[in-house]
Amino acid sequence: MSFERMFRDWPLTHLREVKMIRSYSVTTDILSYKRCRRQYGFFNVRGYRSSSATQRYFGTMVHDVLDQLYRMYKKTKRLPDGREVVDCVEKAHVRLIQSGVRAVYTVQQKEQIVTLIRRFLELAGQPFFANIRETEYTLERSMDGDGAPDFVLEGIVDVLAGAVSHALGLEMSRSTTGNDVEIWDYKSGEMPAADSQLMADYQYQMNVYAELYYQQTGIYPARCVLMFIGELNNDRLYNRCRADIRELRHILHVIHPSDEQIGRAMTDFRQTVACIEGEKQLPYATQWQAPNHDVDRDTCIACELRYHCPKFSDRDRHRREPL
Amino acid sequence: MKPVTLERFFAAMQTAHNGILPLDPQQKLAFHHDYRTPLWMIAGPGTGKTHTITWLVLKRMLVDRIDPSRIIFTTFTNKAANELQTRLIDHYQKLLQAGLVEAMSIDPTKIRLGTLHSICTNVLREQRYEPTMRINLLDDENKQKFFLQKTYPDWRHPNPLLKKENAGRLKLLLEFFQFWWDGKKQGFDPPSSRKVEFVAKLFSRAIENHVGIEPLRRSTNVNLQFLGEGLQDYHNKLAHFHFTDQSMIQKHFLDFLNSEDGREWIGSGFTMFVDEYQDTNPIQSEIYFALTGRRGDLSVVGDDDQSLYRFRGATVESLILFDQICMAKGLSRPQPLYLFENRRSHPAIVDWINRFISTHPTMHPIGSSMRVRAPGKPNIVSRSNIRGQYPALLALTNDSIGTRDDHDALKAANLIQYLKTNHLIEDYSQVAILSFSTAEDSAGLAAYTSAFRAAGIPYFNPRSKQTQEHPVFRQLLGAISLILQPEHEHHVQPEFAIRKNWNYLVECRQMCRTLCATHRELAAYIETSVEEIRQKSTIFRAKNSRYPEYLTNSRGRRVSFSHLWFKLIGFEPFLSQLSDMHVAEKLKALNNLIVGFEAIYDQGELKLATAGSPTLVDGNNVIEFCNIFIDALIGGVNEPEDDESAVRKGYVNIMTIHQSKGLEFDVVFVLKSNRTAFASDTHGIERIINPLRPPHLRNPHMRSDEERVAEDNFRLYFVAYSRAKKLLCINGVFPLAIDDYKLRMNPWGRVLPHTERRAMIGNVQELRKIGVTIL
């Protein structure tokens, strides 16, 4: 029997477009994409893997140790002493090294972390820990793509706190109350320049978290606070502050979420999601090209794709070097 | 806020679906279920299982007012989890658009939705469970094998099962579990890679079956004692080096749930939804019951006829005996709820799959109360819009004895071309080729891929296990080997190297050298790198150090395997290949394997050898590369899986039947339906381990290995056949003679009712009599 005869009663149906609602995080997706779409596409979308993990050591250690110390505080209702801080740092170090994070000069780095954490506890420990509501608080919400594909917005907030600022007596352009909700985010380094891209990224992240928190709870946080623990490394400033955190101007950066800022951040977020989704629809060979905008050199130097990336001016030299 | 009434919920569903409530009477019953009793939903293929369960989850939140953060919804794969999330949010948005304003007060993204593994990992991390904080996960079988072969702290301390002096005991253990091994291959010593693979499997099965080390060690059987020793050592090393594997993470999770912190976290219990329950293993079953807080708010959904993962420790009895297990757990006895209205397939296909699964004695043991299928299971009923008087069931076969793969493949290619050229299909991805194995050297698949190439039909076969043979993959690997082992001329096999690995590497090296003749920049890079190692080695050897030193480049960075991979892809021709999806996926497979290997082997960082060593780079680096990494490669490498999409558009998708689970295609070709299935280590391990499980998890009526093999084979082809929407093409041959064994294996005879068994179909005329058209 011919195929024509065989299938003359074949039911015609149209190919169904498969809908996919993907999750996007501020840091892992949006800021990574904005920083360099090529790097984002290769590592976050296509699934190439890099084994380098050196840069994560210090920041991860600070996060882990603060988290553990808070848990100890929750159980005992007292601030950990110096010995406990050292033990906690040592444990966190062993875990990190065992988990494959590579680090250099770990003895010095550990000592530095112990110093920073001890100073932090001395300056802010009690009011800070006493007002923490949640740590590593997950925010997640499905969002209307507004013409672009819908998506799930996700983020993890380091600390969701009550009125730490109120308890610390920080001077604010807006008044504080004991019922304030605050989002706190630890940064292990020093405060970047006010007009730097890094600072802009941090603020963007906080504005999106504020909106996400609102979407989830119906209220905006009173403020978002970036805490630059690395500022405590400056002995001169530390000694001069006389145990008063308010004297250290650069340790805390407070963001009061405004409709305008949040609106701008969310519009940008949606546009970036649309760009990423659009990129996935392009022919394979033209996806994830090097970006048209400038990429900072540190990003390129840390990127394993630099040996052939048109954005990295030294690519030929780096590639041809032996090993 | 007041709860939504069920009537209002249904009304909103109806509005969201153009005025029609998208539930059949059986599906509707699930919405009226009293959730103080577990829900036991058995859903045949194409009966709207995912559709029902996602709406049901929304119903539980809106009507029953369950807090979304107290709902756990698990499924089998990341892909399925992505699909569930998309559907859940999509349905939720539809309810809002339908005017159900109360829905604004719930947030479906707060549900814990994912594979059980991802949920275990996330909860353990969130709860800062001490034994698993920042733990390394051996998240695939290769990594687990790499770990087992790593002999911490040095080469003198391998796992007892892999110690040289225990080779005889291991062989006894292999024979004990793999009875067929001794029978088939008397005196044959399996290769090291096979031994490691088997040991890894044994450890995983023991954990998944909730078998403790002590029962093994206390056993009177010396083989089980030996296994206990090995398992103890494996546990110790995982703990010592802060690793865990896919099975152990479940044990960690169960330990956490049983701890004081865990009980506090569970509180009054979660509302549980478990998809694909037929592929649950005993430890997972324990976890699900624990998570409900013994309340019984547990909804399981699955199809026992589609249970495929026995080889990964799944026990179909979890679903078939669910009522008895619930009662053993002190819960009320659930009644099964069957979904049987199929909206996927042409009635002729539905008729075929019904005949296939519901008549044969293998699936219906006569005179036995033993359950092989869920009790009282009805046939599925066709309710599909796909109709039409055309032969929806085709046989690719002929009267001659034996296989005629080329002939059949050509017919298949012609048919696919006809369908595409005449726009009966819009895209090649509407066609799937399913087989039990997609390795191109087996199952006659090579004949099909060759026919497709000749006909210009694009096909996609990511699980070919042939990635390691792709020339670009091998050239890049050859380049790494040339840099790592410049001192080894290709015709001289290093003393330490396993012969077959070295032979493979020699070819790779030669392919790279050939490439270098036309790509001078690449050649120069390899030459200067080799020269750099020689110079650094000379300087280092002069120091007479007792310990190897890290190999660094001119920027002071330690050189690793993955670093070399990234540098090499910067050169042509590799760079251009990154733009070609097919080749790029193969290069990515190599990248992923290298990074997985490095996670176990000191980040893959290379060291310079000490004076007196026959190699420039440290011997351990070279030996691990040759004997462990290459060993894993030549066992067969698949392309990495895409977590988002199981089907590649624009291509005929060739996949294993296992891969096709949960998918549907307009046209399905099922190859080698007459496959002869043998009892394997899977069945041997299951039989021996069953009595060692905790009493309530034991299967009291385990059938013989051979009977379980036959069951598995039926389920496998049931899944394959039921993927087809419009056209099912079955490839199979006629048996040489009619006997019981051939009856079981004959794809055509399997569909006959038991009473007609003797009138088995032996030629195409008899096949036509039962309504099958011959292609």
Side-chain angles (χ1 to χ4, degrees):
Chain A
M1 195 195 299
S2 70
F3 285 150
E4 284 78 10
R5 276 189 62 199
M6 201 181 260
F7 296 117
R8 66 184 164 200
D9 205 15
W10 178 270
L12 283 174
T13 47
H14 288 293
L15 198 57
R16 207 163 37 114
E17 203 53 49
V18 180
K19 184 176 179 180
M20 174 71 78
I21 297 176
R22 299 181 175 90
S23 294
Y24 288 96
S25 117
V26 191
T27 46
T28 317
D29 295 296
I30 305 301
L31 291 174
S32 295
Y33 175 84
K34 282 156 74 83
R35 200 170 298 127
C36 175
R37 72 173 167 209
R38 184 169 179 77
Q39 192 184 47
Y40 173 76
F42 271 73
F43 293 107
N44 293 38
V45 180
R46 287 196 175 161
Y48 289 91
R49 294 186 198 157
S50 165
S51 68
S52 59
T54 317
Q55 283 75 24
R56 289 195 290 126
Y57 177 82
F58 194 86
T60 313
M61 275 281 281
V62 170
H63 272 80
D64 283 6
V65 172
L66 280 172
D67 186 68
Q68 278 304 300
L69 293 177
Y70 167 63
R71 283 175 182 264
M72 285 165 65
Y73 173 86
K74 226 165 80 166
K75 276 193 180 149
T76 61
K77 300 288 174 220
R78 63 166 182 82
L79 283 181
D81 62 27
R83 187 66 248 158
E84 286 166 328
V85 171
V86 171
D87 288 348
C88 201
V89 167
E90 192 54 42
K91 270 189 185 170
H93 163 78
V94 169
R95 271 200 298 265
L96 267 195
I97 297 298
Q98 284 187 334
S99 74
V101 172
R102 282 177 289 170
V104 289
Y105 309 120
T106 51
V107 175
Q108 292 91 324
Q109 291 204 62
K110 276 192 292 183
E111 281 172 6
Q112 192 183 349
I113 290 167
V114 168
T115 304
L116 295 180
I117 303 282
R118 276 182 178 165
R119 287 178 177 180
F120 170 74
L121 292 178
E122 180 199 341
L123 294 174
Q126 182 64 34
F128 184 72
F129 283 165
N131 282 287
I132 287 179
R133 295 184 186 175
E134 298 263 7
T135 57
E136 305 272 321
Y137 182 69
T138 303
L139 294 163
E140 211 169 8
R141 188 78 180 176
S142 63
M143 307 291 280
D144 184 345
D146 214 6
D150 298 340
F151 59 93
V152 173
L153 169 51
E154 61 181 25
I156 297 179
V157 169
D158 281 347
V159 172
L160 188 66
V164 177
S165 307
H166 185 74
L168 287 171
L170 295 181
E171 279 180 32
M172 295 279 168
S173 55
R174 298 180 196 183
S175 65
T176 59
T177 76
N179 294 324
D180 286 350
V181 174
E182 298 177 344
I183 288 175
W184 283 64
D185 207 65
Y186 306 132
K187 304 292 178 197
S188 55
E190 294 174 5
M191 185 185 285
D195 59 352
S196 66
Q197 183 57 47
L198 189 57
M199 194 57 148
D201 286 351
Y202 288 156
Q203 291 182 348
Y204 178 90
Q205 183 186 355
M206 291 302 111
N207 279 309
V208 174
Y209 285 171
E211 174 64 17
L212 196 44
Y213 186 76
Y214 169 76
Q215 292 280 341
Q216 218 161 279
T217 62
I219 53 161
Y220 281 105
R223 62 196 66 83
C224 304
V225 185
L226 295 165
M227 181 163 63
F228 296 96
I229 305 272
E231 291 285 340
L232 292 170
N233 203 31
N234 187 324
D235 293 341
R236 190 175 55 82
L237 288 177
Y238 168 74
N239 291 328
R240 223 171 53 186
C241 82
R242 295 190 207 98
D244 186 349
I245 197 166
R246 290 171 297 187
E247 296 294 317
L248 289 170
R249 290 182 47 227
H250 292 300
I251 188 170
L252 302 176
H253 179 78
V254 182
I255 298 157
H256 294 287
S258 69
D259 288 351
E260 192 198 339
Q261 282 174 333
I262 289 175
R264 257 206 316 267
M266 290 312 296
T267 302
D268 182 274
F269 195 103
R270 283 196 169 86
Q271 284 169 351
T272 311
V273 168
C275 286
I276 295 172
E277 294 271 347
E279 189 90 31
K280 289 177 179 173
Q281 304 306 316
L282 294 175
Y284 189 87
T286 57
Q287 288 174 353
W288 315 117
Q289 298 290 322
N292 299 322
H293 60 77
D294 288 340
V295 179
D296 79 273
R297 195 170 166 80
D298 287 348
T299 301
C300 288
I301 288 288
C303 177
E304 302 269 27
L305 302 175
R306 68 181 180 280
Y307 307 114
H308 62 268
C309 182
K311 215 67 211 172
F312 184 56
S313 54
D314 286 339
R315 64 185 173 279
D316 291 338
R317 191 161 58 85
H318 277 234
R319 183 176 67 248
R320 287 172 190 144
E321 281 170 359
L323 298 173
Chain B
M1 194 204 75
K2 266 176 38 184
V4 176
T5 62
L6 190 56
E7 288 69 30
R8 244 174 78 62
F9 182 79
F10 280 157
M13 270 181 87
Q14 198 165 327
T15 310
H17 278 263
N18 304 320
I20 300 162
L21 183 67
L23 296 174
D24 66 34
Q26 294 73 37
Q27 290 170 335
K28 219 170 162 181
L29 288 176
F31 291 75
H32 290 285
H33 183 79
D34 176 355
Y35 284 91
R36 282 171 297 188
T37 303
L39 175 66
W40 184 17
M41 189 151 65
I42 294 148
T47 56
K49 170 178 64 103
T50 310
H51 168 83
T52 310
I53 199 169
T54 42
W55 279 114
L56 194 55
V57 171
L58 288 163
K59 180 260 177 183
R60 298 301 314 277
M61 288 188 279
L62 286 159
V63 179
D64 303 339
R65 301 304 294 163
I66 307 284
D67 178 351
S69 65
R70 300 299 299 170
I71 295 177
I72 297 180
F73 188 177
T74 75
T75 186
F76 200 65
T77 62
N78 289 325
K79 263 194 269 287
N82 287 339
E83 193 197 333
L84 285 176
Q85 171 169 283
T86 297
R87 285 214 202 189
L88 200 59
I89 294 170
D90 188 54
H91 292 351
Y92 169 73
Q93 287 168 345
K94 281 182 176 156
L95 287 178
L96 285 174
Q97 285 158 12
L100 192 69
V101 288
E102 293 91 333
M104 289 184 78
S105 67
I106 63 160
D107 181 359
T109 57
K110 292 189 106 177
I111 295 171
R112 284 186 187 275
L113 191 159
T115 61
L116 181 60
H117 284 103
S118 71
I119 288 169
C120 291
T121 311
N122 291 342
V123 173
L124 291 171
R125 190 182 58 236
E126 282 168 27
Q127 296 302 312
R128 316 293 196 280
Y129 183 54
E130 181 74 29
T132 57
M133 280 173 71
R134 297 258 172 227
I135 201 158
N136 294 286
L137 179 62
L138 305 167
D139 55 6
D140 64 38
E141 285 162 10
N142 273 329
K143 282 191 197 165
Q144 192 190 11
K145 285 188 266 177
F146 289 149
F147 183 84
L148 267 169
Q149 284 166 290
K150 177 85 182 170
T151 48
Y152 300 106
D154 56 43
W155 289 100
R156 287 168 301 178
H157 299 284
N159 188 285
L161 268 58
L162 298 170
K163 274 184 183 170
K164 270 187 187 162
E165 61 267 33
N166 286 340
R169 291 178 78 189
L170 176 63
K171 191 148 183 285
L172 284 176
L173 191 71
L174 287 167
E175 288 166 2
F176 175 65
F177 279 101
Q178 295 174 279
F179 55 96
W180 54 271
W181 192 283
D182 197 33
K184 302 277 174 196
K185 299 190 176 183
Q186 189 77 41
F188 178 75
D189 192 24
S192 59
S193 56
R194 185 77 182 85
K195 287 179 190 168
V196 173
E197 186 183 326
F198 187 68
V199 167
K201 192 184 287 186
L202 275 181
F203 291 165
S204 298
R205 288 308 89 82
I207 296 161
E208 286 153 1
N209 281 280
H210 211 16
V211 174
I213 291 168
E214 274 317 300
L216 288 169
R217 300 188 82 158
R218 280 201 311 267
S219 166
T220 51
N221 185 306
V222 288
N223 289 305
L224 293 176
Q225 288 170 15
F226 187 42
L227 172 61
E229 259 178 67
L231 189 59
Q232 177 72 70
D233 182 82
Y234 181 60
H235 279 211
N236 292 348
K237 281 179 181 150
L238 283 174
H240 183 75
F241 295 99
H242 210 50
F243 274 85
T244 188
D245 65 27
Q246 292 278 50
S247 312
M248 273 298 280
I249 194 78
Q250 299 175 125
K251 185 177 182 311
H252 282 303
F253 190 53
L254 188 57
D255 289 346
F256 163 71
L257 296 180
N258 290 328
S259 70
E260 198 180 316
D261 287 347
R263 283 193 292 273
E264 192 185 324
W265 178 74
I266 292 171
S268 59
F270 287 88
T271 293
M272 296 293 305
F273 288 90
V274 187
D275 191 15
E276 306 285 4
Y277 199 73
Q278 74 280 1
D279 283 316
T280 295
N281 63 40
I283 200 165
Q284 289 170 342
S285 165
E286 286 291 276
I287 288 171
Y288 294 134
F289 280 103
L291 283 167
T292 64
R294 321 285 171 204
R295 263 191 318 131
D297 191 353
L298 169 63
S299 300
V300 303
V301 189
D303 183 8
D304 45 296
D305 292 332
Q306 297 185 61
S307 175
L308 298 183
Y309 286 91
R310 196 192 296 273
F311 72 96
R312 286 199 193 152
T315 51
V316 66
E317 291 78 20
S318 302
L319 183 67
I320 293 174
L321 304 175
F322 185 67
D323 54 339
Q324 295 172 14
I325 297 168
C326 285
M327 286 173 43
K329 290 278 178 190
L331 303 175
S332 317
R333 179 185 204 130
Q335 289 299 314
L337 172 64
Y338 291 105
L339 303 190
F340 55 82
E341 294 193 12
N342 175 293
R343 284 178 174 71
R344 174 184 295 161
S345 308
H346 188 281
I349 297 170
V350 170
D351 180 51
W352 174 268
I353 57 182
N354 273 333
R355 279 199 283 183
F356 178 74
I357 201 74
S358 63
T359 57
H360 202 276
T362 295
M363 302 308 285
H364 301 270
I366 294 154
S368 164
S369 58
M370 181 195 304
R371 289 183 190 172
V372 179
R373 299 178 75 208
K377 193 173 187 182
N379 273 345
I380 54 172
V381 175
S382 173
R383 293 275 189 268
S384 167
N385 292 329
I386 296 170
R387 302 271 152 169
Q389 298 298 312
Y390 68 93
L393 190 66
L394 292 176
L396 268 172
T397 188
N398 51 71
D399 267 339
S400 58
I401 302 300
T403 56
R404 296 268 308 275
D405 291 330
D406 296 348
H407 190 245
D408 293 344
L410 189 62
K411 287 197 276 189
N414 287 340
L415 174 56
I416 295 168
Q417 255 191 341
Y418 170 80
L419 295 171
K420 182 71 173 64
T421 314
N422 291 279
H423 309 291
L424 301 190
I425 53 170
E426 285 178 55
D427 190 273
Y428 282 116
S429 63
Q430 289 167 269
V431 180
I433 309 289
L434 307 183
S435 184
F436 61 91
S437 161
T438 52
E440 290 193 22
D441 57 355
S442 71
L445 196 61
Y448 285 80
T449 50
S450 151
F452 291 166
R453 276 195 300 272
I457 298 171
Y459 66 89
F460 177 55
N461 183 14
R463 285 221 179 163
S464 61
K465 289 256 179 199
Q466 292 295 303
T467 303
Q468 77 285 0
E469 297 303 333
H470 193 278
V472 177
F473 183 104
R474 298 192 69 171
Q475 286 157 351
L476 204 144
L477 195 61
I480 294 175
S481 172
L482 285 171
I483 295 171
L484 186 70
Q485 293 169 270
E487 67 283 357
H488 288 119
E489 285 306 321
H490 67 269
H491 56 276
V492 182
Q493 181 186 339
E495 209 174 280
F496 56 79
I498 295 171
R499 177 176 293 279
K500 69 176 183 344
N501 299 359
W502 183 248
N503 290 345
Y504 173 80
L505 264 184
V506 165
E507 285 175 19
C508 295
R509 289 157 71 100
Q510 193 50 51
M511 288 164 89
C512 180
R513 282 191 173 121
T514 307
L515 190 70
C516 286
T518 50
H519 293 84
R520 287 310 306 158
E521 201 191 359
L522 173 68
Y525 170 71
I526 295 173
E527 280 161 22
T528 53
S529 295
V530 165
E531 188 48 38
E532 181 86 354
I533 292 178
R534 285 193 200 282
Q535 280 179 20
K536 284 184 183 277
S537 172
T538 307
I539 296 166
F540 177 63
R541 280 165 194 252
K543 288 185 194 167
N544 263 327
S545 167
R546 289 173 60 198
Y547 303 105
E549 180 180 271
Y550 284 107
L551 174 65
T552 53
N553 63 14
S554 57
R555 294 177 185 278
R557 180 185 165 153
R558 290 179 188 174
V559 179
S560 67
F561 291 110
S562 60
H563 169 76
L564 291 176
W565 184 94
F566 277 106
K567 283 213 81 170
L568 285 162
I569 57 149
F571 293 97
E572 293 295 357
F574 303 127
L575 182 56
S576 300
Q577 308 283 5
L578 286 182
S579 303
D580 177 338
M581 178 169 62
H582 296 286
V583 186
E585 287 297 301
K586 291 171 173 64
L587 289 174
K588 186 169 85 184
L590 180 58
N591 161 268
N592 287 187
L593 268 167
I594 288 175
V595 174
F597 175 74
E598 290 184 339
I600 318 294
Y601 289 88
D602 307 325
Q603 308 297 335
E605 290 172 339
L606 304 177
K607 290 176 183 167
L608 289 165
T610 51
S613 165
T615 53
L616 298 177
V617 170
D618 180 39
N620 280 347
N621 287 143
V622 181
I623 290 169
E624 286 159 1
F625 180 73
C626 281
N627 291 356
I628 296 173
F629 183 71
I630 299 297
D631 216 42
L633 289 189
I634 60 179
V637 177
N638 288 326
E639 288 177 26
E641 282 195 45
D642 182 343
D643 263 356
E644 282 193 354
S645 171
V647 176
R648 184 163 290 184
K649 231 178 153 183
Y651 298 85
V652 168
N653 283 257
I654 299 175
M655 50 178 71
T656 60
I657 298 170
H658 289 87
Q659 254 180 302
S660 75
K661 198 170 123 172
L663 302 177
E664 56 183 28
F665 299 89
D666 282 2
V667 181
V668 170
F669 288 84
V670 181
L671 305 190
K672 301 289 168 185
S673 301
N674 53 306
R675 174 195 174 216
T676 307
F678 294 106
S680 68
D681 47 21
T682 294
H683 304 89
I685 293 171
E686 189 180 46
R687 174 171 40 80
I688 291 161
I689 272 184
N690 182 47
L692 300 168
R693 290 175 187 158
H696 65 285
L697 294 173
R698 283 176 207 158
N699 180 1
H701 305 292
M702 185 170 275
R703 295 174 97 183
S704 72
D705 290 358
E706 203 189 24
E707 285 169 321
R708 280 179 290 126
V709 171
E711 279 178 32
D712 291 351
N713 215 34
F714 265 92
R715 293 186 181 117
L716 188 72
Y717 287 97
F718 179 78
V719 169
Y721 298 155
S722 57
R723 300 307 94 198
K725 291 163 75 178
K726 295 179 182 172
L727 183 62
L728 171 62
C729 305
I730 303 172
N731 159 254
V733 295
F734 293 104
L736 291 166
I738 296 173
D739 58 32
D740 274 349
Y741 176 74
K742 292 295 176 191
L743 271 171
R744 278 201 306 276
M745 296 308 156
N746 181 315
W748 322 117
R750 283 174 186 151
V751 297
L752 291 176
H754 174 62
T755 49
E756 296 174 32
R757 271 205 308 152
R758 286 293 158 197
M760 196 189 68
I761 296 159
N763 55 51
V764 292
Q765 283 74 26
E766 286 169 358
L767 198 51
R768 284 196 183 101
K769 277 187 207 162
I770 61 162
V772 180
T773 303
I774 314 298
L775 187 62

